[in-house]
Amino acid sequence: MPGKKDLYIESSGQVCVSCGACVGICPLNCIYLDEWRIGFDEEVCTRCGICVRACPVGAISIG
Amino acid sequence: MAISTDLKCDVLVVGAGPSGSMTAKWAAKNGADVIMIEKRQEIGSPVRCGEGISKSWLADVGITPSSRWINVEVEGARIYSPSEKVMEINEKHAGNEVGYVVERDAFDKALAIDAANAGTTIHLKTHALDVLRKDGRVTGVKAKQFGQKFEIHASVVVGADGFESQVGRWAGIPTNLQIRDMDSCLQYRMTNVDSDVRYCDFYLGKCAPGGYVWVFPKGDGLANVGIGVQVSKLHHPAEVRDYLDRWIAQHPGYAKGKKIDMVGGGVSISPPIKQSVADGVMLVGDAARMIDPLTGGGIANGCIAGKICGEVAARAAKSGRTSKADLMEYDRRWRAVLEEKLLRNWVAKEKLVSLPDETFDKIIDVLSGVRLEKLSVLNILKAVRERYPEVTQEFENLL
């Protein structure tokens, strides 16, 4: 995606604890929690970084 | 058995946590045909909570305390200032997280059993994918179970889908939070720690900016050791974990413990939401931001509102009057019970998160030395004013 940095959500459970903190805080409602897996809408996400700060275990990175 | 056809009911509850089960139970008791869906395969698991609840409200909503879900009955809370001066608060005055330390998975299951016994049909491993709409009103949800998609049509849909609530957003009810109105939380269940089964402990100040560290004892050297930090005060990935690990490392009684479980989560510490209903849809519990913004406790408020939600939803569905105006009865009734305290505690929280550590120390120092007849903000301020008038200057209008 031109102009956008990569947002990476580690959703395999190796880091992510599937708590939904990122889902609840995302101002654009573009992160979703399936039963266990976290995903996000690449198009809608603006890489604002709020989810990175809200994640208690550091499973989300932008770079 | 997998569901292969569309379903229909009076009241559909999305989410089988305490608020959802309470809503389902009271809707069923009031004559509604109720379906409750839960995205996980097991109600109550994994636990996402500190597991502390107060006692006073349980009887009012029809919950009977049971040894199946009570670990420990505590006498009160201990509040630690940054320099670890400590004040004790009797359980009755300690807010809505102090009374019982519970086994949340067993508690949630007990409430779901109550809902089932009242007549609720429960579908596990069933996700809501979106709400169904007709002429601008919510008429059900699109759901998925075992890879199979189907629709559930309902006169009223109740979003009890927790902090990460989607139902409200899909239905156009604003539930967005500012980053200062959310705590990011992490908790370890630890064994071989020196917790005191008589108290739930809270540590305030820079160890947990905008939140606190909690230790809730579960008996036999087991305790939940957790932290909440205001998201606006977080700047680096995994900073919450770093805060908690640092606190544990600095406390030998906990540093020697062993972690057996890890829980993460988001907690809203916001003012009450402005709108909890829309045409054909209602929100309850964490989804409706009903968590007490001062204590972070959400179960009592969610269950109290859940009972009202169930009653109103049943009546609305049975009468076929499910517009926003009809469902406003629920909005008015839960506000009558909860809103004043939510607002007051939000104001108190806003003030507390701005206090420097020295001020916390002074306040706790004073309070540890006096016996307050009744624990109220006013009594606390008066006691503090006697020793540290400079601390209470900003509150003169209240005094």
Side-chain angles (χ1 to χ4, degrees), chain A residues 17-21 23-36 50 52-58 60, chain B residues 39-41 46 48 125 127 163-164 166 169 176-177 179 182 184-186 231-232 234-235 238 240-241 264-266:
Chain A
V17 293
S18 302
C19 71
V23 181
I25 196 66
C26 175
L28 295 168
N29 196 24
C30 77
I31 309 181
Y32 53 87
L33 176 61
D34 254 354
E35 188 181 14
W36 305 112
I50 286 174
V52 179
R53 295 163 71 179
C55 175
V57 292
I60 310 177
Chain B
K39 70 179 178 223
R40 296 171 176 154
Q41 62 195 24
R48 284 192 344 209
K125 230 169 163 58
H127 312 184
F163 175 77
E164 68 273 25
Q166 298 294 295
R169 293 179 178 207
N176 276 16
L177 294 168
I179 53 174
M182 170 184 173
S184 178
C185 302
L186 189 68
V231 175
S232 53
L234 291 166
H235 303 286
V240 172
R241 196 185 61 211

Side-chain angles (χ1 to χ4, degrees), chain A residues 2 5 8 14 24 26 28 31 44 51 54-55 61-63:
Chain A
K5 292 179 176 176
Y8 176 67
Q14 293 186 39
C26 175
L28 295 168
I31 309 181
V44 178
C51 57
C55 175
S61 55
I62 296 177

Side-chain angles (χ1 to χ4, degrees), chain B residues 167-399:
Chain B
V167 170
R169 293 179 178 207
W170 291 331
I173 300 176
T175 56
N176 276 16
L177 294 168
Q178 304 291 320
I179 53 174
R180 69 190 176 110
D181 283 333
M182 170 184 173
D183 267 14
S184 178
C185 302
L186 189 68
Q187 170 185 280
Y188 303 127
R189 186 174 293 185
M190 300 182 78
T191 186
N192 192 33
V193 297
D194 292 341
S195 57
D196 188 328
V197 291
R198 293 172 301 171
Y199 301 101
C200 285
D201 290 337
F202 300 84
Y203 294 79
L204 304 176
K206 66 174 182 296
C207 66
Y212 56 79
V213 169
W214 68 83
V215 177
F216 292 174
K218 291 177 73 72
D220 298 324
L222 200 63
N224 289 335
V225 183
I227 191 170
V229 182
Q230 204 173 14
V231 175
S232 53
K233 296 195 165 69
L234 291 166
H235 303 286
H236 312 294
E239 213 176 336
V240 172
R241 196 185 61 211
D242 294 341
Y243 272 112
L244 181 57
D245 289 344
R246 200 176 310 136
W247 186 90
I248 291 170
Q250 288 165 353
H251 291 79
Y254 298 94
K256 70 187 176 75
K258 293 178 172 61
K259 298 165 196 163
I260 58 163
D261 190 4
M262 189 191 296
V263 177
V267 169
S268 60
I269 49 171
S270 62
I273 55 172
K274 296 199 166 55
Q275 181 189 349
S276 65
V277 297
D279 289 336
V281 62
M282 310 161 86
L283 298 182
V284 67
D286 291 10
R289 311 300 182 216
M290 288 175 177
I291 291 176
D292 185 315
L294 188 61
T295 66
I299 299 172
N301 290 353
C303 287
I304 291 165
K307 180 170 186 270
I308 303 168
C309 187
E311 291 168 0
V312 174
R315 201 168 327 127
K318 300 302 284 178
S319 67
R321 299 166 63 92
T322 62
S323 71
K324 181 181 175 185
D326 297 314
L327 300 178
M328 275 302 287
E329 180 195 344
Y330 160 66
D331 193 275
R332 282 190 294 273
R333 282 176 59 191
W334 76 253
R335 283 184 205 282
V337 185
L338 301 175
E339 188 171 45
E340 189 190 333
K341 191 173 173 201
L342 286 173
L343 262 177
R344 197 174 58 220
N345 284 359
W346 179 72
V347 171
K349 181 266 306 184
E350 289 283 288
K351 187 69 212 169
L352 274 179
V353 299
S354 69
L355 291 181
D357 278 4
E358 308 80 67
T359 309
F360 270 129
D361 280 326
K362 286 176 180 170
I363 293 172
I364 303 290
D365 181 38
V366 168
L367 296 180
S368 62
V370 296
R371 274 247 162 268
L372 292 176
E373 194 66 16
K374 186 170 177 297
L375 196 80
S376 69
V377 172
L378 195 62
N379 282 347
I380 290 172
L381 289 174
K382 281 181 179 164
V384 173
R385 183 168 65 173
E386 279 185 26
R387 275 263 297 282
Y388 300 108
E390 75 280 7
V391 172
T392 57
Q393 257 166 20
E394 292 172 63
F395 300 99
E396 280 305 317
N397 55 335
L398 285 173
L399 288 158

